[in-house]
Amino acid sequence: MDNLVIAGKAYSSRLLVGTGKYKDFNETREAVEASGAEIITVAIRRTNIGQNANEPNLLDALPPSKYTLLPNTAGCYTVDDAVRTLRLARELLDGHSLVKLEVLGDPKTLYPNVVETLKAAEILIKEDFQVMVYTSDDPIMAKQLEQMGCVAVMPLASLIGSGMGILNPWNLQIIIDNAKIPVLVDAGVGTASDATIAMELGCDGVLMNTAIAAAKNPVLMASAMRKAVEAGREAYLAGRMAKKLYSASPSSPTEGIIAKTEKTGKQ
Amino acid sequence: MIQLTINGQPQQFEAPINVAQLIDHLALHGKRIAIECNGEIVPRSRFSDQMLTHGDQLEVVVAVGGG
């Protein structure tokens, strides 16, 4: 079985999905189901005080008994905010320690602040969190995060929510070649072919949210992404043919081609 | 009279209360929440033990959709 193994646990799906930006929890649940994802990200936010006490809860739509929830630190710009958010997440999810760390550096681009990310990762790992870390596509940073003890490194393909696809496949290739832990593309995927390209490069998985949630038909796009990730993975494992400009080697036999006729047909 | 800051909003209480009483007061009993007091996690097992004092800053969080 070709499983994705993260922190010792095997997953059959290599597509991880976010749960934000859907019109309601029903659509979220339908899209998650269509994606086949087993790991789904959630955000941690202040609850509404003194407002609708019977507000539906995300965890009722997507129960932790059915999915591996991956709490994130989206929106955190400092080490302290990120670390406190994940401590709250661990308490909220009954001691669950697998988390997605991201420390942002700029509200306009949502580009990660890798210096702060390193500091936060170090604290979290000391506190026995299993850290899947969002980072830039810098191979040295990816390696340092791995050496520090992160359980997966998740470089961006392009900026969060941009849908611009994989802008620097060469950097991703270097990160993949150097890594001994899973490498997942996180952020930037816009459509199915982007996910396939990531997997063909040798990524261990892809994490996405907006590409599905912002599609005109999110549930259908979730299904497309599931197939795209599977197709890319199989193509990677199969090993693609070498590229050449032209080959003079057609796929059909060069022998046994019927002969040219001397005469034209019956008149 | 004590004042607590809950998710950034100040609230007054007649007498000191513990975390469990605060949760009841906020109608959050039985909800999947996590609580931090002055930057430190309050474990669920200690909700009834931990008294809140004037000036405490609380964060009460839930899981929401996110990527």
Side-chain angles (χ1 to χ4, degrees):
Chain A
M1 193 62 194
D2 175 42
N3 286 326
L4 168 63
V5 179
I6 297 174
K9 191 173 171 196
Y11 302 90
S12 56
S13 171
R14 291 174 180 274
L15 173 59
L16 288 69
V17 298
T19 55
K21 300 184 182 172
Y22 289 97
K23 74 168 191 261
D24 54 36
F25 288 153
N26 199 40
E27 188 182 69
T28 314
R29 185 179 47 73
E30 284 180 11
V32 169
E33 281 174 6
S35 77
E38 296 162 279
I39 302 176
I40 57 176
T41 61
V42 298
I44 304 297
R45 290 290 180 272
R46 286 171 163 177
T47 188
N48 286 331
I49 298 291
Q51 295 180 28
N52 184 4
N54 292 318
E55 215 176 13
N57 187 310
L58 177 70
L59 301 187
D60 295 331
L62 300 164
S65 55
K66 195 170 169 194
Y67 297 99
T68 296
L69 297 185
L70 188 65
N72 70 23
T73 59
C76 292
Y77 286 82
T78 66
V79 172
D80 190 51
D81 284 354
V83 169
R84 283 170 53 211
T85 296
L86 291 179
R87 286 177 185 147
L88 281 163
R90 182 156 67 178
E91 178 63 22
L92 183 70
L93 299 173
D94 304 319
H96 170 88
S97 62
L98 186 70
V99 296
K100 171 181 162 177
L101 170 66
E102 59 182 280
V103 185
L104 302 175
D106 171 36
K108 189 172 168 189
T109 61
L110 303 177
Y111 205 82
N113 181 331
V114 292
V115 176
E116 299 296 293
T117 301
L118 279 169
K119 290 181 200 161
E122 190 171 16
I123 294 169
L124 291 165
I125 290 163
K126 274 190 191 139
E127 295 184 14
D128 295 323
F129 282 92
Q130 295 170 317
V131 180
M132 299 177 70
V133 61
Y134 172 64
T135 183
S136 65
D137 60 0
D138 176 342
I140 305 305
M141 196 54 59
K143 196 69 199 172
Q144 288 198 6
L145 289 161
E146 174 183 331
Q147 287 167 343
M148 186 177 276
C150 291
V151 298
V153 63
M154 307 201 290
L156 51 79
S158 47
L159 297 178
I160 291 173
S162 71
M164 290 287 284
I166 296 166
L167 299 186
N168 195 339
W170 308 109
N171 268 27
L172 286 179
Q173 192 70 68
I174 296 169
I175 292 172
I176 292 162
D177 288 351
N178 289 341
K180 293 188 180 67
I181 55 172
V183 176
L184 293 89
V185 153
D186 179 2
V189 166
T191 188
S193 52
D194 297 332
T196 304
I197 290 168
M199 295 306 293
E200 286 174 346
L201 284 171
C203 281
D204 296 280
V206 179
L207 198 168
M208 65 179 74
N209 190 150
T210 311
I212 296 174
K216 288 195 177 68
N217 183 337
V219 179
L220 190 56
M221 186 58 89
S223 167
M225 289 301 184
R226 172 187 201 151
K227 292 168 185 162
V229 168
E230 286 174 3
R233 178 64 182 177
E234 289 187 0
Y236 169 73
L237 292 175
R240 63 154 298 148
M241 63 167 283
K243 280 185 187 175
K244 45 204 165 191
L245 187 55
Y246 47 84
S247 76
S249 169
S251 300
S252 305
T254 51
E255 302 289 309
I257 297 167
I258 59 169
K260 198 188 265 182
T261 53
E262 297 295 325
K263 289 166 36 178
T264 54
K266 280 182 199 169
Q267 293 296 318
Chain B
M1 187 77 108
I2 64 164
Q3 179 170 303
L4 306 175
T5 304
I6 305 161
N7 288 353
Q9 294 168 8
Q11 282 201 33
Q12 268 91 34
F13 294 85
E14 295 292 331
I17 56 170
N18 64 35
V19 175
Q21 288 166 328
L22 176 71
I23 290 168
D24 283 342
H25 171 79
L26 298 173
L28 292 172
H29 183 76
K31 303 277 179 194
R32 266 190 173 272
I33 54 168
I35 297 188
E36 183 195 71
C37 180
N38 302 326
E40 301 288 332
I41 295 290
V42 184
R44 227 166 292 168
S45 57
R46 287 190 32 222
F47 281 179
S48 302
D49 302 331
Q50 180 148 346
M51 290 305 294
L52 298 168
T53 54
H54 183 73
D56 280 351
Q57 289 191 24
L58 293 125
E59 295 288 345
V60 186
V61 301
V62 290
V64 301

